[in-house]
Amino acid sequence: KLFKEATDNYSGIYAFYIFDLKGDYYYGLNHKEVMQAASLIKLPVMYMAMRDDKDKSLVEAMGKRSDNGAFTKMVSVLGKENVNKTIKDLGMSKTSLSENLTTPEEIGIFFKKLYSNELIDMEKTKELEGYMTDTNFEDWLRPGIPSDITLVHKYGREDHVINDAGIVMSDKPFVIVIMTDGIIESEAIDLFPKLAKLLYNNHTNNEITD
């Protein structure tokens, strides 16, 4: 309700998904909507590269800098058919590599599986999480979360699309996904950190002091 009220007067679709990793429950708004993935489509490719022991520098480039060249190179190394098969094997049935589409829920479930070491072993999981920490894109989810709490996340942006999704590594960790579609970017730039703070505060019932 609060998220809907906060976004009602803005253009486009704003969606969120939260999965409580200790409580094993989830909730969201517009979280089953098929939306532009932007660079969130890199996530299954990054996971596959870790799983198959491919060039880690390309994985780091995709995580820290969201490098499109590294993504294109890794997709050609892995093969599009294999990537598509892995996306389906992950249960991401609405996610499309070729059309660059996904849902907030499917991105959220990806991060849940990553956190639970369901995708790769703990050592590789920690390494992959490291590539998604202290990235070049810390202006979106990050301001809404206390600075002493680690945020493992992936950011994505295209025309009229800003997405940021990941894991809040607090004492009570949870997955947080905020995705947008058809938005006015100047509005979203201002609103996104406020939505992150709203979701964090309401999920943890903590007030962040500015």
Side-chain angles (χ1 to χ4, degrees):
K1 180 171 170 284
L2 292 170
F3 188 92
K4 189 173 187 308
E5 285 171 1
T7 57
D8 257 354
N9 295 327
Y10 290 84
S11 303
I13 299 170
Y14 286 80
F16 84 90
Y17 177 85
I18 282 179
F19 192 102
D20 191 288
L21 292 158
K22 289 283 191 274
D24 202 34
Y25 65 90
Y26 68 89
Y27 56 98
L29 181 74
N30 298 325
H31 55 287
K32 293 182 185 292
E33 290 276 337
V34 177
M35 303 171 77
Q36 279 294 318
S39 282
L40 300 185
I41 203 68
K42 293 184 172 81
L43 288 166
V45 172
M46 292 164 70
Y47 144 63
M48 287 176 72
M50 297 298 294
R51 181 193 70 189
D52 299 349
D53 293 313
K54 302 300 185 194
D55 187 342
K56 297 296 188 293
S57 66
L58 293 179
V59 185
E60 182 176 17
M62 282 187 272
K64 295 278 189 188
R65 302 191 300 278
S66 204
D67 190 303
N68 290 327
F71 172 70
T72 304
K73 194 178 286 186
M74 188 55 76
V75 169
S76 72
V77 167
L78 295 165
K80 279 184 183 171
E81 273 183 38
N82 288 333
V83 176
N84 286 326
K85 182 181 182 303
T86 298
I87 287 169
K88 294 294 169 273
D89 289 348
L90 287 167
M92 300 171 78
S93 60
K94 294 177 179 173
T95 299
S96 166
L97 175 69
S98 59
E99 294 178 62
N100 193 17
L101 297 171
T102 190
T103 71
E105 182 174 52
E106 291 190 356
I107 294 298
I109 289 168
F110 175 90
F111 276 110
K112 171 195 173 283
K113 288 180 174 178
L114 180 69
Y115 178 85
S116 310
N117 304 304
E118 290 174 52
L119 301 180
I120 40 182
D121 65 37
M122 193 178 291
E123 193 178 329
K124 285 183 177 178
T125 296
K126 290 283 166 242
E127 189 177 349
L128 180 52
E129 287 173 351
Y131 297 147
M132 294 191 280
T133 308
D134 298 323
T135 70
N136 291 5
F137 309 101
E138 301 296 311
D139 297 332
W140 313 94
L141 282 179
R142 180 74 262 183
I145 295 155
S147 56
D148 58 330
I149 294 174
T150 299
L151 175 67
V152 171
H153 70 115
K154 184 75 195 77
Y155 167 81
R157 184 169 179 175
E158 285 185 12
D159 289 345
H160 309 299
V161 174
I162 297 174
N163 300 330
D164 205 354
I167 309 161
V168 176
M169 295 289 197
S170 56
D171 295 341
K172 294 179 177 173
F174 62 96
V175 171
I176 181 170
V177 180
I178 302 179
M179 292 179 64
T180 69
D181 218 337
I183 47 101
I184 295 170
E185 285 166 58
S186 57
E187 289 181 351
I189 287 165
D190 179 54
L191 185 59
F192 210 104
K194 295 174 184 172
L195 295 175
K197 187 172 182 176
L198 174 83
L199 292 176
Y200 178 87
N201 284 352
N202 280 278
H203 188 70
T204 59
N205 295 320
N206 286 341
E207 281 302 316
I208 306 177
T209 51
D210 286 325

